[in-house]
Amino acid sequence: MKNFHGLLLVGCSAIALAGCGPTDIASPGTGGNVTITYPTPTPTPTPTPTATPTVTAAAGCPTISDPQGLTDSGKLATTQGEWRVCTLPARINTSITLPKIAGLLYSMNGRVDVGTDAGFSSTSNTVTLTIEPGVILFGNTGTSWLAVNRGNRINAVGTATAPIIFTSRDNVLGLNTETSQGQWGGVVLMGRAPITDCTTGSVASGSTASTCERQTEGAADPALFGGTNSADNSGSLKYVQIRYSGYVLGSNSELQALTLEGVGSGTQLEYIQSYNSSDDGAEFFGGTVNMKHYIAVGADDDSLDMDTGVQANLQYLLLIQRAGSGDALMELDSNGNEAQTPRQKSVISNFTAIQTATSSNNESNDQAALLFRGNSDITLVNGIVNTPANECIRMNGSGGANAATLTARSVAMTCNSTKYLGTGTYTATQVSGFFGSGSNGNNDALTSTLTGYVNGANETAVSAFDVTTLSSYFTATTYIGAVKDANDTWYAGWTCNSGAANFGTTSTACTLLPIT
């Protein structure tokens, strides 16, 4: 009977996801645990490290305050030794803390809800899941994902030397390679900030009059997000890795590593790495979001995807694709709901976005490294785009007041000879004019001197724009790009290394778990 019930839930999930569209939680990617033979990058990446068995399983599971408690699922033998596995309850009904204990892993055996949905217009927060620095959680099944419901919070704050890691069972077992992906769901935060493209309700003039809600795809039970509180607080994520996410839950339907849905400005998001998501590195559905120090490596769809009326300020982004893999580095739009308000308004500063010379057009869905379309107002500041084999910017105009807009300040790009694409009501010439190479510090003919993702002489020569004039959230810098020079090491220690991106000797391999 228990097995039948589990099958029923998975079946319901698949049915719910069958109609997932381009602005739903999951945009099309390759999906699944796919291993593809790619051409050998130049230079050849460091071989995948061999694990040394050093882990001794903890004696048992800790006691938590939730009445359901943790289930002791016994010991798990891996290439790194033996771990104690403690399985989380399907729903966390009381605020709890997951302590860091040597030789212990926390497992999600399917969807894990943090609290229950508090509703569209609630103002209080009920349940908080606190995760201590250094804790490792893994999805025990492909359909495992963490759902932080409206009116509840996550407090996952690691440190530069003890990051919190969300990953897959195969990663724990030591089975993964450079191309492993799509092995579990991901982390989803649901908030009460305004959104568009409603599942229920409607978008009205002014956020306080809106009744717009959307339902998260991916579970038999509804998981709603949206509201009228732009300052809503879904908690904190800091010094966090999310590895090998994006399990295929239905036709063209995968979760992202990190999905932010109607998340408000009270939520703190800093130092977050997405690694080898089979869909997007992170996708934002509406909300009023601020985020600094975001790294996406190896996303098989877009490194950053933002839509349904999001209002966002982002600073210090490293977007790096694997050779021959991935789609756009950024896809920013409100595709399918262009007439609705609020329009997407996103300011992205100090970013370095990289597609290798062997990544020619990648999956070709978005056709360029950066795609902007449909009722989105995008401002790019102090940025670097290095995509020598690809077009840099494509804009798709939907006509009239709903067309996408682009403002660029101190952005330097290395593109193929085409550089710009215009579709819909836009031409390539118009897109070139919007970017404005030769004015406002912009250059679409930069000869890249990046060392990996670190600025070289040509990048350093570009004068920076004062981004604090656009929002007090931003920090003023004297440089473009995410990493000023070899002394700027904000990425080190809390990240994981791969052939696509090496973050130094203080970071550990993505294919292994850190042993502390």
Side-chain angles (χ1 to χ4, degrees):
M1 184 65 168
K2 182 177 181 182
N3 290 337
F4 176 77
H5 179 66
L7 288 170
L8 180 60
L9 288 178
V10 172
C12 291
S13 299
I15 292 169
L17 284 158
C20 187
T23 57
D24 288 331
I25 184 171
S27 54
T30 301
N33 183 11
V34 178
T35 300
I36 303 172
T37 302
Y38 296 117
T40 302
T42 303
T44 302
T46 304
T48 300
T50 302
T52 301
T54 56
V55 180
T56 301
C61 296
T63 300
I64 60 174
S65 56
D66 191 278
Q68 296 184 65
L70 299 168
T71 299
D72 190 334
S73 299
K75 299 177 182 179
L76 182 63
T78 75
T79 57
Q80 293 181 266
E82 196 171 58
W83 300 85
R84 174 73 58 184
V85 176
C86 302
T87 300
L88 296 172
R91 187 178 301 275
I92 299 169
N93 293 301
T94 304
S95 295
I96 65 169
T97 297
L98 300 181
K100 165 63 179 172
I101 298 173
L104 188 147
L105 304 172
Y106 296 96
S107 170
M108 294 173 283
N109 193 27
R111 170 178 166 180
V112 172
D113 283 281
V114 177
T116 56
D117 179 28
F120 180 88
S121 58
S122 61
T123 57
S124 61
N125 286 77
T126 306
V127 173
T128 299
L129 170 62
T130 299
I131 304 173
E132 290 188 347
V135 163
I136 301 172
L137 304 93
F138 71 94
N140 192 48
T141 64
T143 55
S144 300
W145 56 291
L146 183 67
V148 181
N149 289 292
R150 286 187 299 189
N152 302 277
R153 294 178 182 174
I154 186 170
N155 182 32
V157 179
T159 68
T161 57
I164 294 166
I165 298 175
F166 295 89
T167 191
S168 67
R169 181 182 178 88
D170 280 8
N171 190 198
V172 171
L173 292 173
L175 302 177
N176 283 349
T177 68
E178 288 286 322
T179 57
S180 298
Q181 60 183 22
Q183 297 174 339
W184 69 291
V187 177
V188 180
L189 307 187
M190 291 165 271
R192 298 170 287 193
I195 61 171
T196 63
D197 197 19
C198 318
T199 302
T200 60
S202 63
V203 174
S205 178
S207 62
T208 56
S210 173
T211 58
C212 185
E213 295 178 290
R214 281 179 60 83
Q215 179 173 321
T216 302
E217 304 285 347
D221 298 322
L224 297 172
F225 62 94
T228 59
N229 182 9
S230 295
D232 193 39
N233 185 351
S234 295
S236 301
L237 289 175
K238 188 172 183 179
Y239 294 114
V240 168
Q241 297 175 27
I242 308 174
R243 307 178 180 180
Y244 306 108
S245 61
Y247 186 78
V248 180
L249 298 171
S251 177
N252 287 332
S253 300
E254 306 91 12
L255 296 174
Q256 286 64 235
L258 176 63
T259 306
L260 302 173
E261 304 177 326
V263 168
S265 61
T267 308
Q268 297 183 10
L269 303 164
E270 295 187 72
Y271 300 99
I272 297 170
Q273 181 186 16
S274 163
Y275 178 69
N276 276 23
S277 169
S278 68
D279 199 60
D280 302 319
E283 185 162 7
F284 299 0
F285 292 89
T288 309
V289 186
N290 296 320
M291 182 167 70
K292 287 181 177 176
H293 302 105
Y294 165 64
I295 297 176
V297 177
D300 207 51
D301 193 7
D302 308 313
S303 297
L304 177 66
D305 193 340
M306 305 168 72
D307 47 39
T308 62
V310 63
Q311 314 289 292
N313 295 315
L314 310 181
Q315 189 172 26
Y316 309 116
L317 279 69
L318 276 174
L319 310 178
I320 303 172
Q321 291 183 340
R322 298 196 309 268
S325 178
D327 197 358
L329 290 161
M330 299 182 196
E331 180 182 321
L332 312 182
D333 59 32
S334 289
N335 192 38
N337 51 88
E338 288 87 350
Q340 296 184 6
T341 56
R343 294 174 61 94
Q344 177 179 170
K345 182 179 180 182
S346 296
V347 182
I348 303 172
S349 181
N350 292 97
F351 62 90
T352 300
I354 299 172
Q355 291 171 322
T356 67
T358 56
S359 299
S360 181
N361 281 332
N362 299 319
E363 294 178 347
S364 298
N365 293 329
D366 290 343
Q367 303 172 23
L370 310 181
L371 169 62
F372 311 127
R373 63 184 176 187
N375 203 26
S376 60
D377 300 322
I378 308 304
T379 300
L380 303 179
V381 178
N382 298 336
I384 298 168
V385 180
N386 185 25
T387 181
N390 293 345
E391 296 81 7
C392 272
I393 299 176
R394 174 188 162 211
M395 293 183 67
N396 184 73
S398 53
N402 298 321
T405 68
L406 172 64
T407 301
R409 298 289 183 268
S410 297
V411 177
M413 306 193 300
T414 304
C415 323
N416 69 10
S417 59
T418 302
K419 298 184 183 181
Y420 305 101
L421 294 173
T423 53
T425 58
Y426 284 145
T427 66
T429 300
Q430 287 176 301
V431 177
S432 175
F434 296 149
F435 179 77
S437 184
S439 62
N440 297 310
N442 300 322
N443 180 7
D444 66 5
L446 180 77
T447 299
S448 174
T449 55
L450 290 173
T451 300
Y453 44 79
V454 179
N455 286 357
N458 289 352
E459 290 79 18
T460 300
V462 180
S463 298
F465 176 82
D466 184 4
V467 70
T468 62
T469 61
L470 303 180
S471 170
S472 61
Y473 175 75
F474 292 112
T475 301
T477 67
T478 59
Y479 58 92
I480 69 169
V483 181
K484 178 182 180 181
D485 53 33
N487 297 314
D488 183 10
T489 58
W490 61 264
Y491 51 80
W494 60 274
T495 47
C496 67
N497 291 329
S498 65
N502 190 310
F503 297 110
T505 57
T506 58
S507 294
T508 56
C510 296
T511 51
L512 301 176
L513 303 183
I515 307 301
T516 56

